[in-house]
Amino acid sequence: MFSIKFRCTIWMLLLGIGLFIASAAHGQDSKMADDILFYVNKHRAEIGLPKLQMDKGISEVAAKHSRQMANGTVPFGHDGFDDRVKMISKDIDHVNGFAENVAMGQMSAEAVVNLWLGSEGHRKNMEGDYRLTGIGIAPAKNGDLYFTQIFILNKEISLPAAGKK
């Protein structure tokens, strides 16, 4: 049989390869998320809206939803959206506007954005009065990608001083 040292070396090599593959896949997802944001912001600029800013925490929540859809623990769609907003609201103050787009398929970042632009509800979300966004992408076993983009408005609402109208 093989020595313990040899088996440990093989195990460490396999672990390293697995971590490299996982890191590369995450890098590809991150690049695609950045590309989606580019195309969304390009559209927003064309109609005079400010750019959305990517938020890491929102992206983590979006990525979790995409992973759950990809592995079948939740159905494709918006189930649990209120819970996702509550989770985001723990880290971001004054969340007073939110929306979500999801998509599924084997498509590029530009194709995802074009798909959403072709849907009235998704387009409305992309053109909404939001400032922050998070994007998560996860692959399913069959090769389909699951996309989630969450939009957040977080501005403090000023109330009139007492006695003033």
Side-chain angles (χ1 to χ4, degrees):
M1 293 302 308
F2 297 107
S3 71
I4 290 176
K5 183 177 178 182
F6 179 77
R7 284 185 282 176
C8 287
T9 302
I10 295 298
W11 184 83
M12 293 298 287
L13 179 63
L14 292 174
L15 178 63
I17 291 170
L19 290 174
F20 174 78
I21 291 169
S23 175
H26 175 72
Q28 289 173 337
D29 292 347
S30 179
K31 168 78 168 100
M32 184 173 248
D34 289 343
D35 289 348
I36 289 171
L37 181 61
F38 169 81
Y39 290 113
V40 169
N41 279 336
K42 180 180 175 194
H43 172 73
R44 287 175 62 90
E46 288 169 356
I47 59 173
L49 293 173
K51 289 182 177 182
L52 296 171
Q53 292 188 357
M54 187 80 82
D55 181 271
K56 183 179 178 185
I58 301 170
S59 291
E60 289 171 2
V61 172
K64 180 179 179 185
H65 182 56
S66 290
R67 283 191 305 273
Q68 290 174 329
M69 289 189 297
N71 68 29
T73 57
V74 300
F76 174 73
H78 303 286
D79 286 7
F81 181 56
D82 290 339
D83 294 332
R84 288 188 288 286
V85 171
K86 286 177 189 172
M87 190 177 310
I88 291 166
S89 296
K90 290 178 185 177
D91 294 326
I92 297 176
D93 292 332
H94 310 294
V95 171
N96 46 26
F98 41 86
E100 179 180 73
N101 286 350
V102 296
M104 179 217 17
Q106 297 178 13
M107 56 188 127
S108 68
E110 186 174 17
V112 172
V113 173
N114 286 334
L115 179 75
W116 286 333
L117 287 171
S119 159
E120 183 179 339
H122 293 99
R123 176 186 284 269
K124 182 179 175 184
N125 291 343
M126 291 170 58
E127 296 175 354
D129 185 23
Y130 302 109
R131 300 293 181 263
L132 300 174
T133 194
I135 300 167
I137 303 158
K141 288 181 181 178
N142 68 358
D144 282 342
L145 296 175
Y146 284 77
F147 303 87
T148 303
Q149 182 171 18
I150 298 174
F151 303 86
I152 297 291
L153 173 62
N154 71 316
K155 61 182 180 183
E156 192 169 353
I157 298 173
S158 301
L159 299 175
K164 293 187 177 181
K165 291 190 177 188

